[in-house]
Each structure stands twice: as C-alpha cells, then as structure tokens.
C-alpha cells in the first residue's frame, strides 16, 4: 500500500497536518504517530475493521489486546463501566503520561480491540502531537507500539520507515521518544494494585500514591512468563537477531568476564557487541553500544541500541545488568525478554 509520510515539529505544531492525520484515523485508516514512550500504530478503537488492520500491519497475534489512547480524562467514562477511587488518584497524578490503567470495558469497545477480554487498557499520552491527533480524530485510538510483532519498539523515525513503510496508510514523524520504554500498565481489579508491565512510572511512584503495589510475579522469570496477565508480555519480544545475554555482577568482574567471552567468540569467528553504560565504553575489546550515563538515559536508548546490534551484524551481544530499582525494573524486564532470560553471573 501507498504510505503517506510527513514530518511535524513538536515545538511548532502544524495544525493542518494534525487535522489531516486525525481525519485519516476517524475514517478507519492506520496511522503511526509519536508518543512520549514509543511510536504507536494507531487506528479507531471503536471500529472493528480499523482495529483489525493493526494486527495485520504488525503481524500481531489476535488474542493480544490493544491499548486505547484518549486525549482527555473526560473520555474515559464513555469507554468503561466504572472509575474507582484508586483509578481517579492515578489519573490525577500521572495523566497525561506513561501510565496505562485497566478498566472493565463498556460494550462500545469491540472484541477486536480488547482481544476478547472484558477489560480495556487506557492511557492518555503527554506527548503534545499524540494528544492533538487523538483529539482531532475525535475517537479513542487503539495504538500498540509501531514495531513488527516480536521486535524492539521504535523510538526513532528511521526504525519506523524501514519496517512499516508500505504496511500502514500514513506515518507522522516527530522527534525521538522521550522515555523510550512503553508505558507502565497497572491492574486495579485485585486485592492490591498489580503492575503488569513496568515502565517509567515506577513501582516506587505508584506506592507513594496507592500504598501496597506489587509487580506481576510471572514477569520475573522465564518459566512463569506464560502466565503473564498482560497477554503481550508472554510472547517473544524485543528480540534482535543477535543472541543477547545479560551479564550480572559488580562492574570490574563483569568487565573481565565479558572480555573473556569476547576472546572465546572471536576464536569461533563470531562478532560480539556489548551494551554498556557510557563510562565503560572503552573497557571492552569488542564493539560497544552506548546506553548512556544513568538509568533514564538507558531506558531512552535501549531499543535503539538493540536495533543497532543487527545493523552492525553482531552475532552475540552482552548487556550489563541493571539494579532492579526505579526505572531499572523496566530496563531489566525488556532486557530479560530480549535475552530470552539468559543471565551470566560474573
Ligand atoms: O507506551 C505504550 O504503552 C505504547 C504507546 C504506543 O502508547 N503502546 C504499547 O502498546 O506499548 P502495546 O500494544 O505494544 O502493548 C500493550 C500491552 C500488551 O502487552 C497487551 O497485552 C497489554 O498491554 N494489554 C492491553 N490490553 C490489556 C488488557 N485488557 N488486559 C491486560 N493486558 C492488556
Ligand atoms: Mg508492543
């Protein structure tokens, strides 16, 4: 299919483009647009045929529900049965922003959008371009990350053009996505709130507002993963073609261990890459991939660096491990999935 591609300046938003892209969404077309987390592949969430096009474009399994985006809190009432106190607190504190909340859905949400579940996942993005497009569309927008199913989520224009040109009706290019990992997903239906996917709204931040909050235990190791409550979390995900391993341990033993492995690999004729923090860029005997100076930067850079592994023809990649605190929980969740839960202890 022919794909319309336009660029927008988020500091000087061209409302003609916003109207044009909003109209396409309203008419049932598929449109890729930037958000503060990752690029989304959007379609009208209330239109079954439009939602079906998303699954085709991504090659996504049809039992994996879509996340629904709104431009204003007031739209939620039309879509869900009930907004309880906890949900209200979260919306007040974290919307607009990278937090997705599960609700019991009203029947306006078609099964194609909710993957046959009786719940719907909703978020209100803080990205100004995203919110204006949703507002211009005047319908809620279903938008999963704009990657081919199984691959890292796109955070930069170049990721999208390569993979998605010809698979969607239109692509709107904005800047780089700020946070770089997908939104935190929280389920409020149990005895206490459960995080189904960790993100940049951290467990610590949620606990400050709600008290006890836990992470879905099935996310923490491979064997449990098939029981994950967010269906998307059970699939192979974030996987470059390179074989990724996480290496844990203190900085110096990790560096020596990885350098040993690099030597072994090069004897076998395998090309090694290392995903590491900026301070360690010169410590390795192989090509390094810069995750940045702190955890926020690492979250921002992670998918881009994973995508670069394949561009550089890397066979085996070692990733420095992160402490599972704050944004580190989200980074390690994505890394573990891209590494198929292979962790080497240094
Ligand atoms: O940051 C984000 O959330 C990005 C941007 C584009 O907004 N979107 C995104 O969508 O990551 P997606 O489809 O790639 O991931 C949504 C996740 C999937 O793992 C899906 O299984 C889960 O949310 N999900 C959606 N609806 C659900 C529901 N009703 N119950 C449980 N999990 C749900
Ligand atoms: Mg995704």
């Amino acid at each position: 299919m022919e794909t319309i591609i336009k660029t927008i300046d988020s500091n000087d938003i061209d409302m003609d483009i916003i109207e044009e892209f909003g109209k396409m969404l309203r008419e049932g077309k598929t449109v890729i647009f930037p958000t503060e987390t990752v690029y989304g592949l959007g379609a009208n969430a209330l239109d079954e045929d439009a939602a079906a096009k998303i699954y085709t474009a991504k090659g996504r399994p049809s039992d994996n529900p879509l996340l629904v985006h709104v431009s204003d809190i007031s739209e939620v009432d039309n879509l869900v049965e009930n907004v309880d106190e906890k949900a209200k607190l979260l919306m007040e504190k974290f919307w607009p922003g990278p937090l997705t909340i599960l609700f019991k859905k009203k029947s306006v949400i078609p099964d194609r959008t909710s993957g046959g579940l009786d719940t719907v996942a909703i978020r209100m993005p803080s990205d100004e371009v995203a919110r204006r497009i949703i507002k211009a569309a005047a319908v809620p927008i279903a938008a999963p990350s704009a990657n081919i199913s199984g691959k890292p989520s796109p955070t930069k224009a170049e990721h999208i053009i390569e993979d998605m040109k010809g698979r969607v009706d239109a692509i709107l290019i904005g800047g780089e996505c700020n946070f770089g990992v997908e939104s935190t997903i929280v389920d409020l239906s149990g005895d206490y709130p459960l995080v189904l996917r960790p993100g940049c709204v951290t467990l610590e931040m949620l606990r400050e507002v709600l008290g006890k909050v836990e992470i879905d235990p099935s996310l923490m190791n491979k064997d449990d993963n098939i029981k994950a409550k967010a269906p998307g979390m059970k699939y192979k995900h974030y996987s470059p073609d390179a074989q990724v391993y996480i290496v844990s341990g203190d900085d110096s033993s990790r560096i020596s261990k990885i350098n040993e492995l690099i030597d072994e690999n090069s004897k076998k004729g395998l090309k090694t890459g290392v995903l590491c923090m900026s301070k360690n860029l010169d410590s390795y005997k192989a090509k390094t991939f810069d995750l940045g100076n702190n955890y926020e930067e690492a979250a921002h850079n992670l998918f881009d660096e994973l995508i670069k592994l394949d561009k550089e023809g890397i066979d085996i990649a070692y990733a420095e491990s992160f402490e599972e605190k704050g944004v580190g929980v989200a980074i390690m969740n994505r890394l573990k999935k891209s590494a198929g839960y292979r962790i080497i202890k240094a």
Side-chain angles (χ1 to χ4, degrees):
M1 82 172 66
E2 180 86 40
T3 302
I4 298 170
I5 302 176
K6 289 208 172 162
T7 300
I8 197 160
D9 177 357
S10 52
N11 296 313
D12 181 18
I13 295 176
D14 181 339
M15 284 310 285
D16 290 341
I17 296 183
I18 296 285
E19 287 304 328
E20 180 192 352
F21 277 65
K23 181 162 176 277
M24 284 193 265
L25 283 166
R26 191 164 57 249
E27 290 172 347
K29 300 210 161 107
T30 46
V31 171
I32 292 178
F33 58 89
T35 86
E36 72 278 21
T37 56
V38 301
Y39 274 83
L41 195 176
N44 181 351
L46 305 183
D47 175 346
E48 239 172 324
D49 298 332
K53 290 183 196 164
I54 294 179
Y55 289 93
T56 313
K58 275 182 66 88
R60 181 177 175 116
S62 61
D63 67 337
N64 191 1
L66 303 173
L67 203 153
V68 174
H69 298 66
V70 296
S71 65
D72 194 275
I73 292 184
S74 62
E75 294 161 43
V76 173
D77 280 335
N78 302 328
L79 308 175
V80 313
E81 287 296 341
N82 175 40
V83 180
D84 70 11
E85 277 313 308
K86 282 184 185 147
K88 274 190 196 140
L89 281 172
L90 291 182
M91 292 189 319
E92 262 166 40
K93 176 84 183 168
F94 298 110
W95 282 14
L99 178 71
T100 298
I101 306 172
L102 291 195
F103 297 93
K104 274 255 172 320
K105 78 176 182 94
K106 275 189 177 154
S107 57
V108 284
I109 304 275
D111 279 348
R112 209 78 180 83
T113 297
S114 66
L117 299 175
D118 62 358
T119 50
V120 59
I122 303 185
R123 90 174 187 96
M124 175 180 167
S126 57
D127 184 278
E128 201 60 40
V129 171
R131 258 204 345 273
R132 289 200 195 192
I133 288 184
I134 301 162
K135 187 152 189 260
V139 286
I141 300 300
S145 48
N147 51 295
I148 304 274
S149 206
K151 293 286 169 193
S153 301
T155 54
K156 279 181 160 182
E158 63 201 64
H159 304 156
I160 295 156
I161 311 262
E162 274 166 33
D163 281 4
M164 286 299 182
K165 192 168 170 230
R167 301 177 76 101
V168 294
D169 293 302
I171 298 175
L172 186 58
I173 297 302
E176 276 187 33
C177 301
N178 182 17
F179 291 109
V181 292
E182 308 89 339
S183 61
T184 306
I185 303 179
V186 63
D187 176 5
L188 301 170
S189 66
D191 292 339
Y192 48 85
L194 207 56
V195 168
L196 307 190
R197 178 174 71 184
C200 288
V201 172
T202 62
L203 276 163
E204 293 86 343
M205 287 157 78
L206 292 169
R207 283 176 186 143
E208 237 171 72
V209 179
L210 297 178
K212 182 176 161 101
V213 179
E214 295 301 333
I215 185 159
D216 179 356
S218 66
L219 297 187
M220 299 321 270
N221 75 73
K222 184 182 184 179
D223 296 335
D224 288 343
N225 208 245
I226 32 177
K227 293 182 236 139
K229 292 188 187 210
M233 298 305 280
K234 72 182 182 224
Y235 297 111
K236 180 166 176 275
H237 219 154
Y238 313 117
S239 307
D241 295 331
Q243 282 214 348
V244 180
Y245 294 83
I246 299 172
V247 184
S248 69
D250 65 67
D251 222 33
S252 67
S253 42
R254 209 163 47 187
I255 290 170
S256 4
K257 180 72 193 177
I258 291 177
N259 279 327
E260 263 171 46
L261 292 164
I262 292 170
D263 284 340
E264 284 171 26
N265 293 341
S266 53
K267 278 184 207 142
K268 293 183 208 148
L270 296 170
K271 195 167 170 194
T272 309
V274 183
L275 295 152
C276 64
M277 299 307 282
S278 305
K279 67 180 166 67
N280 293 336
L281 282 174
D282 297 328
S283 308
Y284 296 105
K285 298 195 251 172
K287 180 151 182 63
T288 43
F289 294 81
D290 189 1
L291 292 177
N293 290 303
N294 55 48
Y295 279 32
E296 281 68 30
E297 287 182 18
H300 174 91
N301 295 331
L302 181 63
F303 292 146
D304 186 33
E305 298 304 323
L306 282 171
I307 291 168
K308 278 187 198 153
L309 292 174
D310 289 344
K311 294 214 179 98
E312 295 288 338
I314 300 295
D315 300 303
I316 298 189
Y318 301 107
E320 294 180 349
S321 62
F322 288 76
E323 254 188 275
E324 292 186 277
K325 279 202 309 211
V327 184
V329 179
I331 298 172
M332 280 299 277
N333 169 263
R334 306 310 191 273
L335 268 180
K336 280 181 191 165
K337 289 186 71 85
S338 68
Y341 293 83
R342 288 178 298 239
I343 301 183
I344 297 169
K345 292 201 171 61

